[in-house]
């Protein structure tokens, strides 16, 4: 690439694990990529460090107090902004070519939508955007002419294992099903009775991946895989029965596609998010991601098993939410976010997480998701409902 071909990137959620991995890939390729904007919720110290290194034009804090603290520091020519409108602006700015959508949870929906509407290459690491508002988000991608590239390691692996010109229909390409792998988390193999006393520290100790607390708990409950199943259905235009979840403890095969001729095509690699990030940034080319090469002799064995949905019912709840359609996936996601936060604050037991989510789902009247306001209202209702149930101590 020449200097004029350098790609400007906005990193939404820059201080999280995905954001930091993205910056590491950018750091390795200063001739190809430039940081246009960084965003975060409240992590002022990390933002200040990254501003001093990458010198973005904008830095956006979701929290007003954090924005004031950052603004009081020496940030050179970087302009400090705050709030949802600023997030949408840096995601849709005319000078931006790529947007890493890595804000965790529902907070990532609006800026991710703004990037899609503006026709950017959207590197989607925020699965909640599709879980909450899949039809609206995919319509925005089509309307804006955006490129949507999945960054979750599993969906990135599926993308790599599908035919080059896959158009959203299994039959013409001889596709039988998608095999969505899961590590099984830190409690794989344990019966539900042994999970009652699980602590937050135990739940966030993922055996393979380095992730934030919320995603780590989702992995421990298998809700992360439930959300990924819904995401896969929207990304690849399929139904839940066409996606088989396969527990694979080594996290070496990141996902697979099974074909009607008996072939199974898989993507293998180290459990390092820099690989799918670099693939999305450079696609259809490949660039160095700084990831150690896979040594199959060192791995020696690969294991596979079905998920235990009795011990980990969140996967079942995700399927039910997708089947119900409309606002139910948004309700599932919102209830889960409240439940995980309560668990991390030691206000809720590990086993009560799916119980709370199911109770919220049972109280919800599904509405069509043809307007963003309806999705956001369902999200708000579910959060309030979940908090009421916790306050009533009726779990």
């Amino acid at each position: 690439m020449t200097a004029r071909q350098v790609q400007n990137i906005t990193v939404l959620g820059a201080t999280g694990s995905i954001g930091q991995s993205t910056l590491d890939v950018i750091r390795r390729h200063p001739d190809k990529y430039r940081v246009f904007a960084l965003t975060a919720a409240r992590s002022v110290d990390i933002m200040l460090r990254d501003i001093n290194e990458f010198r973005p034009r904008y830095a956006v804090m979701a929290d007003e107090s954090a924005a004031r603290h950052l603004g009081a520091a020496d940030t050179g020519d970087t302009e400090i902004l705050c709030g949802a409108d600023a997030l949408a602006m840096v995601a849709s700015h005319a000078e931006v070519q790529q947007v890493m959508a890595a804000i965790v949870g529902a907070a990532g929906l609006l800026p991710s939508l703004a990037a899609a509407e503006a026709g950017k290459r959207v590197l989607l690491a925020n699965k909640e955007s599709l879980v909450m508002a899949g039809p609206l988000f995919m319509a925005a991608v089509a309307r804006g002419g955006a490129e949507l590239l999945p960054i979750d390691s599993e969906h990135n692996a599926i993308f790599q294992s599908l035919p080059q010109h896959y158009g959203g229909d299994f039959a013409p390409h001889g596709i039988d099903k998608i095999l969505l792998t899961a590590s099984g988390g830190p409690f794989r193999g344990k019966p539900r009775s042994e999970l009652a006393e699980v602590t937050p520290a135990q739940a966030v100790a993922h055996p393979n991946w380095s992730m934030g607390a919320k995603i780590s708990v989702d992995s421990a409950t298998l809700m992360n895989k439930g959300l990924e199943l819904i995401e896969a259905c929207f990304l690849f235009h399929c139904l839940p029965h066409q996606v088989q979840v396969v527990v694979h403890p080594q996290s070496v095969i990141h996902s697979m596609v099974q074909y009607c001729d008996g072939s199974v095509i898989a993507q293998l690699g180290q459990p390092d998010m820099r690989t799918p990030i670099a693939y999305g940034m450079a696609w259809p080319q490949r660039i160095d991601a700084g990831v150690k090469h896979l040594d199959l002799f060192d791995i020696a064995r690969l294991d596979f098993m079905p998920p235990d949905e009795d011990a980990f019912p969140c996967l079942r709840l995700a399927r039910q939410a997708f089947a119900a359609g409309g606002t139910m996936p948004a309700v599932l996601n919102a209830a889960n976010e409240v439940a995980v936060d309560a668990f991390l604050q030691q206000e809720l037991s590990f086993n009560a997480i799916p119980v709370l989510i199911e109770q919220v789902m049972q109280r919800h009247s599904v509405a069509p998701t043809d307007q963003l306001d309806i999705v956001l209202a369902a999200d708000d209702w579910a959060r309030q409902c979940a908090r009421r149930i916790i306050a009533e101590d009726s779990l």
Side-chain angles (χ1 to χ4, degrees):
M1 290 183 180
T2 66
R4 273 187 269 181
Q5 294 174 309
V6 171
Q7 298 271 298
N8 282 332
I9 300 181
T10 286
V11 184
L12 302 172
T15 60
S17 60
I18 298 295
Q20 290 295 294
S21 292
T22 302
L23 292 178
D24 187 65
V25 175
I26 294 172
R27 184 182 291 121
R28 295 169 186 277
H29 301 278
D31 58 324
K32 294 180 172 65
Y33 307 104
R34 178 184 178 275
V35 176
F36 181 83
L38 297 172
T39 86
R42 288 174 292 273
S43 302
V44 173
D45 291 344
I46 298 175
M47 277 288 275
L48 184 58
R49 181 197 68 198
D50 291 338
I51 287 169
N52 288 332
E53 177 181 358
F54 292 98
R55 298 294 178 185
R57 185 180 302 184
Y58 298 105
V60 183
M61 304 300 290
D63 181 77
E64 188 175 343
S65 175
R68 285 197 302 270
H69 281 91
L70 186 60
D74 181 9
T75 56
D77 295 331
T78 299
E79 184 176 350
I80 309 302
L81 303 173
C82 178
D85 289 343
L87 285 172
M89 185 275 288
V90 298
S92 59
H93 198 285
E95 295 183 36
V96 170
Q97 285 79 45
Q98 298 192 23
V99 175
M100 170 54 73
I103 296 175
V104 175
L109 173 60
L110 293 178
S112 299
L113 268 174
E117 293 275 8
K120 307 305 180 185
R121 173 172 287 193
V122 182
L123 308 174
L124 190 66
N126 170 263
K127 62 178 65 67
E128 291 85 357
S129 293
L130 283 173
V131 171
M132 290 178 65
L136 283 172
F137 191 87
M138 296 306 290
V141 169
R143 191 165 53 246
E147 288 182 311
L148 181 60
L149 294 174
I151 299 302
D152 272 347
S153 62
E154 295 84 356
H155 302 89
N156 191 272
I158 294 164
F159 182 78
Q160 293 190 50
S161 301
L162 285 168
Q164 184 177 1
H165 301 293
Y166 174 69
D169 189 351
F170 277 23
H173 300 284
I175 300 168
D176 183 43
K177 62 182 172 182
I178 287 170
L179 302 172
L180 182 68
T181 61
S183 71
F187 310 127
R188 182 189 70 253
K190 292 185 179 296
R192 189 163 179 76
S193 59
E194 292 185 19
L195 302 176
E197 304 303 321
V198 161
T199 67
Q202 292 171 323
V204 300
H206 195 282
N208 300 329
W209 295 92
S210 174
M211 305 182 294
K214 192 268 181 185
I215 299 176
S216 295
V217 175
D218 282 350
S219 179
T221 64
L222 285 194
M223 178 56 87
N224 196 45
K225 209 51 49 179
L227 299 178
E228 287 176 3
L229 187 149
I230 295 173
E231 183 184 9
C233 289
F234 286 116
L235 282 171
F236 307 116
H237 308 282
C238 58
L239 296 171
H241 75 270
Q242 296 173 300
V243 181
Q244 180 179 352
V245 175
V246 178
V247 175
H248 167 50
Q250 291 86 2
S251 295
V252 169
I253 296 178
H254 298 303
S255 275
M256 299 166 272
V257 176
Q258 180 174 300
Y259 291 84
C260 64
D261 63 359
S263 300
V264 176
I265 297 179
Q267 188 266 336
L268 287 71
Q270 297 283 2
D272 190 319
M273 286 304 299
R274 290 176 296 176
T275 295
I277 289 167
Y279 184 80
M281 287 168 57
W283 181 84
Q285 280 77 45
R286 292 181 185 264
I287 57 173
D288 173 41
V291 176
K292 178 184 175 184
H293 289 163
L294 195 65
D295 186 339
L296 293 175
F297 298 112
D298 185 50
I299 295 164
R301 60 177 288 173
L302 300 173
D303 297 306
F304 307 94
M305 60 202 72
D308 182 352
E309 294 190 27
D310 291 327
F312 305 98
C314 284
L315 190 54
R316 168 181 57 81
L317 295 177
R319 285 200 188 93
Q320 290 175 356
F322 186 87
T327 49
M328 190 62 85
V331 165
L332 168 92
N333 178 72
N336 178 64
E337 288 190 16
V338 172
V340 170
D341 183 65
F343 168 71
L344 290 171
Q345 300 300 321
Q346 297 185 308
E347 298 170 357
L348 199 68
S349 72
F350 184 83
N351 280 347
I353 292 174
V355 176
L356 174 61
I357 296 166
E358 188 162 26
Q359 286 194 20
V360 175
M361 289 173 63
Q362 288 170 348
R363 299 183 187 191
H364 181 60
S365 298
V366 177
T369 54
D370 51 357
Q371 297 178 42
L372 183 59
D373 286 350
I374 294 174
V375 175
L376 298 178
D379 174 86
D380 183 63
W381 174 88
R383 291 173 193 278
Q384 293 185 41
C385 182
R387 293 184 186 112
R388 280 197 304 271
I389 293 172
I390 293 171
E392 294 164 0
D393 196 25
S394 59
L395 296 169

